[in-house]
Amino acid sequence: MKAIIVKPPNAGVQIKDVDEKKLDSYGKLRIRTIYNGICGTDREIVNGKLTLSTLPKGKDFLVLGHEAIGVVEESYYGFSQGDLVMPVNRRGCGICRNCLVGRPDFCETGEFGEAGIHKMDGFMREWWYDDPKYLVRIPKSIEDIGILAQPLADIEKSIEEILEVQKRVPVWTCDDGTLNCRKVLVVGTGPIGILFTLLFRTYGLEVWVSNRREPTEVEQTVIEETKTNFYNSANGYDKLKESIGKFDVIIDATGADVNILSNVIPLLGRNGVLGLFGFSTSGSVPLDYKTLQEIVHANKTIIGLVNGQKPHFQQAVVHLASWKTLYPKTSKMLITKTVSINDENELLKVLKEKERGEIKIRILWE
């Protein structure tokens, strides 16, 4: 079987034939891979920067890939031959209560597995076997953008969590019963920042996105079609604070040096939520006593956001389908490039380096 393998914590990636018997199997339903998505986590593993990536027990390599769409090869347990499906990538520890009810995103032991990342072979291979309870149907009508359901599931869970946290506030809705008056700052306009923007706008919140440069052509299309505001933060955030004031929600979607938080924490308003998404790999955040006093006195919350589960995958499918109508121009730009599994040179290149203006690159298995 052809597969894309890595050997964390060492840098490097290979496309090679491997013995199927040496790969992890998760159930009885055989699924042939059609697409894989490439994301920042994959590249951090390939470049030896993701310290939490670990090998499956007793093995000296890991099959990469946590974003996949495959086709069911034989009807079984509610799935029909030819159905398109996407696997849920995090699997529970089998011990704690949260994992036992299908919510390993809140695993209490930390012994969960994460396909293609941590302790479990991923889906960058010709086929895999899985348990139907870990599979989500992908309608043929969104096959072109369906690979985004996995990263979007993480955003679905993140916004759900923020809204749950804000139930602590007696009234957080606006005077028309919506969230249309609430202001969000999304820091970073990469793939995750774009998805946060689309979903917050779908919920009706006012959104500002920032980057330390002017927007690319793709970003400009997203900004115009979703009626989002853009701010160039190359010279800091003082002008944004002067013109807009403070924000109800701030999302760090950069994955950059964490020192950026020193600049955006002062922009968080009373009762506000600062959501941290992704894994920064450098820097530190100095918080003096005045800042901590302000966080306490103004009921501010800082929360880590990670990993959607099956309900969030299903909701992501619904939103991807809706965006074809709500944001048709943007939807057509969400997949930046498709690379054949047979184009080894190009594939190795995109597995190592992000392209300028990239939202999502996917691998096509032919």
Side-chain angles (χ1 to χ4, degrees):
M1 178 194 297
K2 183 180 288 188
I4 299 174
I5 67 168
V6 289
K7 298 182 178 181
N10 300 313
V13 61
Q14 295 176 282
I15 305 168
K16 63 182 298 184
D17 289 321
V18 295
D19 184 349
E20 179 188 354
K21 295 179 181 179
K22 293 183 179 181
L23 304 185
D24 291 339
S25 181
Y26 311 119
K28 297 181 178 180
L29 190 62
R30 177 168 157 135
I31 301 151
R32 177 171 52 83
T33 308
I34 300 178
Y35 304 109
N36 291 119
I38 300 173
C39 85
T41 300
D42 297 318
R43 291 185 176 120
E44 288 173 355
I45 295 171
V46 167
N47 292 307
K49 294 182 178 180
L50 190 68
T51 58
L52 57 78
S53 182
T54 54
L55 296 169
K57 187 175 181 179
K59 292 172 62 175
D60 64 356
F61 69 89
L62 169 76
V63 176
L64 191 64
H66 58 281
E67 299 177 3
I69 291 178
V71 61
V72 174
E73 295 206 315
E74 184 178 354
S75 299
Y76 176 74
Y77 202 77
F79 289 94
S80 299
Q81 184 179 14
D83 283 350
L84 295 180
V85 294
M86 172 173 281
V88 177
N89 52 296
R90 182 179 286 197
R91 311 289 169 96
C93 67
I95 301 170
C96 77
R97 290 167 293 182
N98 289 327
C99 287
L100 291 174
V101 297
R103 293 304 302 267
D105 48 326
F106 290 109
C107 179
E108 294 179 329
T109 67
E111 296 302 317
F112 59 85
E114 203 148 20
I117 300 173
H118 176 59
K119 300 199 300 185
M120 292 175 57
D121 279 327
F123 308 112
M124 287 185 181
R125 45 174 150 163
E126 290 185 64
W127 66 81
W128 80 94
Y129 290 86
D130 219 329
D131 185 324
K133 73 178 180 180
Y134 293 116
L135 299 174
V136 177
R137 297 178 194 276
I138 300 296
K140 294 281 180 73
S141 60
I142 63 165
E143 180 180 346
D144 55 339
I145 59 173
I147 198 67
L148 286 159
Q150 191 285 324
L152 181 56
D154 293 348
I155 313 304
E156 299 276 2
K157 184 266 180 95
S158 297
I159 294 182
E160 174 187 272
E161 197 167 353
I162 288 169
L163 295 178
E164 284 294 316
V165 166
Q166 290 308 83
K167 287 182 179 179
R168 69 200 170 108
V169 183
V171 179
W172 204 62
T173 53
C174 311
D175 59 9
D176 60 357
T178 71
L179 296 173
N180 295 357
C181 66
R182 292 300 178 184
K183 296 185 295 185
V184 180
L185 172 63
V186 178
V187 183
T189 57
I192 295 302
I194 293 293
L195 292 177
F196 264 113
T197 297
L198 287 166
L199 196 50
F200 273 125
R201 288 299 295 134
T202 303
Y203 280 108
L205 288 80
E206 297 181 44
V207 179
W208 278 255
V209 294
S210 69
N211 206 323
R212 293 176 293 184
R213 54 165 172 74
E214 290 302 309
T216 65
E217 182 180 346
V218 172
E219 292 164 355
Q220 189 62 40
T221 298
V222 177
I223 291 163
E224 292 175 359
E225 190 169 41
T226 62
K227 300 188 186 309
T228 294
N229 307 281
F230 184 87
Y231 178 76
N232 186 332
S233 61
N235 295 316
Y237 288 86
D238 290 344
K239 289 184 179 179
L240 181 63
K241 187 175 180 180
E242 291 171 5
S243 60
I244 304 301
K246 295 195 174 185
F247 291 86
D248 301 294
V249 179
I250 298 176
I251 301 292
D252 176 20
T254 64
D257 191 300
V258 296
N259 189 56
I260 194 172
L261 297 178
S262 301
N263 297 317
V264 300
I265 286 177
L267 294 172
L268 189 63
R270 299 187 70 84
N271 305 321
V273 178
L274 171 61
L276 308 180
F277 190 99
F279 301 100
S280 297
T281 57
S282 64
S284 60
V285 184
L287 294 177
D288 59 29
Y289 74 95
K290 290 183 180 179
T291 301
L292 289 174
Q293 284 183 2
E294 173 67 13
I295 289 172
V296 173
H297 191 260
N299 296 308
K300 299 179 183 182
T301 298
I302 301 175
I303 185 169
L305 304 169
V306 68
N307 197 259
Q309 288 300 301
K310 192 168 184 176
H312 308 111
F313 278 73
Q314 292 174 332
Q315 192 61 45
V317 168
V318 172
H319 279 127
L320 286 172
S322 74
W323 290 348
K324 285 198 162 189
T325 299
L326 292 171
Y327 312 124
K329 293 179 183 178
T330 297
S331 293
K332 291 177 181 178
M333 303 177 82
L334 291 176
I335 302 301
T336 311
K337 178 191 289 187
T338 299
V339 179
S340 170
I341 185 65
N342 298 318
D343 189 349
E344 184 169 337
N345 290 336
E346 181 65 14
L347 184 52
L348 291 175
K349 179 182 176 182
V350 297
L351 282 167
K352 294 175 183 178
E353 299 175 5
K354 180 181 177 181
E355 295 191 350
R356 186 179 185 276
E358 173 188 325
I359 296 181
K360 177 60 63 180
I361 291 179
R362 65 179 182 176
I363 302 168
L364 172 64
W365 290 75
E366 300 178 291

